[in-house]
Amino acid sequence: MSNVLVLVGIFVLAAFLIVLGLGLSRRAQRQGPAEDRPDATGIASTTPATRARPRLRDRLAKTRATLAGPLQALRIRGRVDGETWDDLEEALLLADVGVATTGRLLDELRANALQLAASEPAQVIELLKAQLVAELDGDTDRSLTRADAGPTVWMFVGVNGVGKTTAIAKLAQREAGDGHTVVLAAADTFRAAAAEQLAHWGDRVGAAVVRGQEGADPGSVVFDAISAAQARGADLVLVDTAGRVHTKVNLMNELEKLRRVAERGPGVLTEVLLVIDATTGQNGLAQARQFADAVDVTGVVLTKLDGSAKGGIVLAIEAELGIPVKVVGVGESADDVVPFDPVEFVDALFA
Ligand code: GDP
């Protein structure tokens, strides 16, 4: 009897170990290679040589489903009728394009479809695609501008949690990889963790990090960082700013003050980049409006497009605020940053 119990015990233990082993290996597969996982700083490291630049199309898999799903359902319908337009409107609204932009796009699309006698849903969808590309791909300058002389300064603004620090880290790695000497300014002196995260990243890419005591004047951190860059011959200063202070008015005043410090020299402020979390949809647009009213925003860094973002927010930001999306974040790894390419983006949404 006791032998039977021992055998049963061994069997149960072996089954437990097998199940545990399978679980761990699946988890490791889901998380990808060890070096790609975020560490305590929230930023994953990668070996540049082993990772190619991410493709927007691959990373937008979840985002794509919002628009491509309903469009596919439309495509297999026989003809264009009143329902087609209702469904198109619903698809665009669900994709976060926003009421005003959706209305305008559909008015234009109707006129185009009529003019070209497009009678099949597939034709109308192709017209919509071309219209979105034309809308985004005009003569918008999406480059990150640099100064001719003196250190270039790019300031990053946005509410906490949108991915500001991560975006700075990713761009620092990219710029350092391209041969630039980067200084990071930890001007969010309200959150010790933000400065820690930036300091950690600075170590990794070999960028000097200038930080102050918790509660120190953010303006002095920016000034010190630009002076340090000038002294070391560094050509790029990336400024992380607070996403929250006591009140919204205080925050906007603080950012405006920082912008003036950054403009005073010896550096040249060429970009004020608003970081928006794409998964927050129309909320992100409301945030963008507040920041754009307070500081002269030159471009948007749209993060988390790899997540459950609906994608249409890109159109809403550009159409309603007139601010170009310049860079997009498509993951938590250090390499997960790509310049925004409208054609690739629209292709990815419709694929
Ligand atoms: P901050 O408060 O604006 O500085 O935000 P953080 O940079 O600390 O980022 C907040 C969270 O968003 C962290 O968990 C990041 O890993 C995550 N995150 C940032 N960018 C991206 C992105 O492009 N994709 C995904 N999936 N997560 C991101």
Short mmCIF file of all heavy atoms in Angstrom, two decimals, residues 156 163-172 238 275 301 303 337:
data_model
loop_
_atom_site.label_atom_id
_atom_site.label_comp_id
_atom_site.label_asym_id
_atom_site.label_seq_id
_atom_site.Cartn_x
_atom_site.Cartn_y
_atom_site.Cartn_z
N PHE A 156 10.31 67.82 -24.17
CA PHE A 156 9.19 66.87 -24.24
C PHE A 156 8.15 67.22 -23.18
O PHE A 156 8.50 67.35 -22.00
CB PHE A 156 9.70 65.43 -24.02
CG PHE A 156 10.59 64.96 -25.13
CD1 PHE A 156 11.91 65.43 -25.22
CD2 PHE A 156 10.14 64.07 -26.08
CE1 PHE A 156 12.74 65.01 -26.26
CE2 PHE A 156 10.96 63.65 -27.13
CZ PHE A 156 12.26 64.13 -27.21
N GLY A 163 4.27 58.09 -21.59
CA GLY A 163 5.45 57.47 -22.19
C GLY A 163 6.52 58.49 -22.55
O GLY A 163 7.37 58.25 -23.43
N LYS A 164 6.52 59.61 -21.84
CA LYS A 164 7.47 60.69 -22.12
C LYS A 164 8.91 60.24 -21.89
O LYS A 164 9.77 60.36 -22.76
CB LYS A 164 7.15 61.86 -21.19
CG LYS A 164 7.30 63.21 -21.80
CD LYS A 164 6.70 64.32 -20.95
CE LYS A 164 5.81 63.89 -19.84
NZ LYS A 164 6.26 64.16 -18.51
N THR A 165 9.17 59.71 -20.68
CA THR A 165 10.54 59.32 -20.35
C THR A 165 11.03 58.21 -21.27
O THR A 165 12.17 58.22 -21.73
CB THR A 165 10.61 58.88 -18.86
OG1 THR A 165 9.90 59.85 -18.08
CG2 THR A 165 12.02 58.78 -18.38
N THR A 166 10.13 57.27 -21.54
CA THR A 166 10.50 56.17 -22.44
C THR A 166 10.82 56.70 -23.83
O THR A 166 11.77 56.26 -24.48
CB THR A 166 9.36 55.13 -22.52
OG1 THR A 166 8.93 54.83 -21.20
CG2 THR A 166 9.81 53.87 -23.21
N ALA A 167 10.01 57.66 -24.30
CA ALA A 167 10.24 58.22 -25.65
C ALA A 167 11.60 58.92 -25.69
O ALA A 167 12.34 58.78 -26.68
CB ALA A 167 9.12 59.20 -26.00
N ILE A 168 11.94 59.63 -24.63
CA ILE A 168 13.24 60.32 -24.58
C ILE A 168 14.35 59.27 -24.62
O ILE A 168 15.34 59.42 -25.36
CB ILE A 168 13.35 61.19 -23.31
CG1 ILE A 168 12.37 62.36 -23.42
CG2 ILE A 168 14.77 61.67 -23.07
CD1 ILE A 168 12.22 63.17 -22.15
N ALA A 169 14.17 58.23 -23.84
CA ALA A 169 15.18 57.16 -23.80
C ALA A 169 15.37 56.54 -25.19
O ALA A 169 16.50 56.34 -25.65
CB ALA A 169 14.75 56.10 -22.79
N LYS A 170 14.25 56.28 -25.85
CA LYS A 170 14.34 55.65 -27.18
C LYS A 170 15.05 56.59 -28.16
O LYS A 170 15.90 56.16 -28.94
CB LYS A 170 12.92 55.37 -27.71
CG LYS A 170 12.17 54.26 -27.01
CD LYS A 170 10.72 54.28 -27.50
CE LYS A 170 9.88 53.18 -26.88
NZ LYS A 170 8.47 53.28 -27.31
N LEU A 171 14.66 57.87 -28.13
CA LEU A 171 15.28 58.81 -29.07
C LEU A 171 16.75 59.03 -28.72
O LEU A 171 17.58 59.22 -29.61
CB LEU A 171 14.51 60.13 -29.10
CG LEU A 171 13.17 60.04 -29.84
CD1 LEU A 171 12.36 61.32 -29.69
CD2 LEU A 171 13.37 59.74 -31.33
N ALA A 172 17.06 59.01 -27.41
CA ALA A 172 18.47 59.17 -27.01
C ALA A 172 19.30 58.04 -27.59
O ALA A 172 20.38 58.25 -28.14
CB ALA A 172 18.58 59.19 -25.48
N LEU A 238 18.02 66.58 -24.59
CA LEU A 238 16.62 66.14 -24.53
C LEU A 238 16.09 66.46 -23.14
O LEU A 238 16.64 65.98 -22.14
CB LEU A 238 16.51 64.64 -24.82
CG LEU A 238 17.13 64.14 -26.13
CD1 LEU A 238 16.88 62.64 -26.31
CD2 LEU A 238 16.56 64.89 -27.33
N VAL A 275 3.97 64.57 -26.09
CA VAL A 275 3.85 63.11 -26.10
C VAL A 275 2.41 62.73 -25.75
O VAL A 275 1.87 63.18 -24.73
CB VAL A 275 4.85 62.48 -25.10
CG1 VAL A 275 4.81 60.95 -25.20
CG2 VAL A 275 6.27 62.99 -25.37
N VAL A 301 4.72 63.21 -30.44
CA VAL A 301 5.24 61.85 -30.37
C VAL A 301 4.07 61.00 -29.90
O VAL A 301 3.57 61.21 -28.80
CB VAL A 301 6.40 61.75 -29.34
CG1 VAL A 301 6.87 60.30 -29.22
CG2 VAL A 301 7.56 62.67 -29.72
N THR A 303 2.65 57.67 -28.66
CA THR A 303 3.17 56.41 -28.10
C THR A 303 2.09 55.33 -28.06
O THR A 303 0.90 55.62 -28.22
CB THR A 303 3.67 56.62 -26.66
OG1 THR A 303 2.55 57.04 -25.87
CG2 THR A 303 4.76 57.67 -26.60
N VAL A 337 10.78 52.73 -31.73
CA VAL A 337 10.42 54.09 -32.10
C VAL A 337 10.66 54.22 -33.59
O VAL A 337 11.66 53.75 -34.12
CB VAL A 337 11.26 55.10 -31.27
CG1 VAL A 337 12.74 55.00 -31.57
CG2 VAL A 337 10.78 56.52 -31.46
#
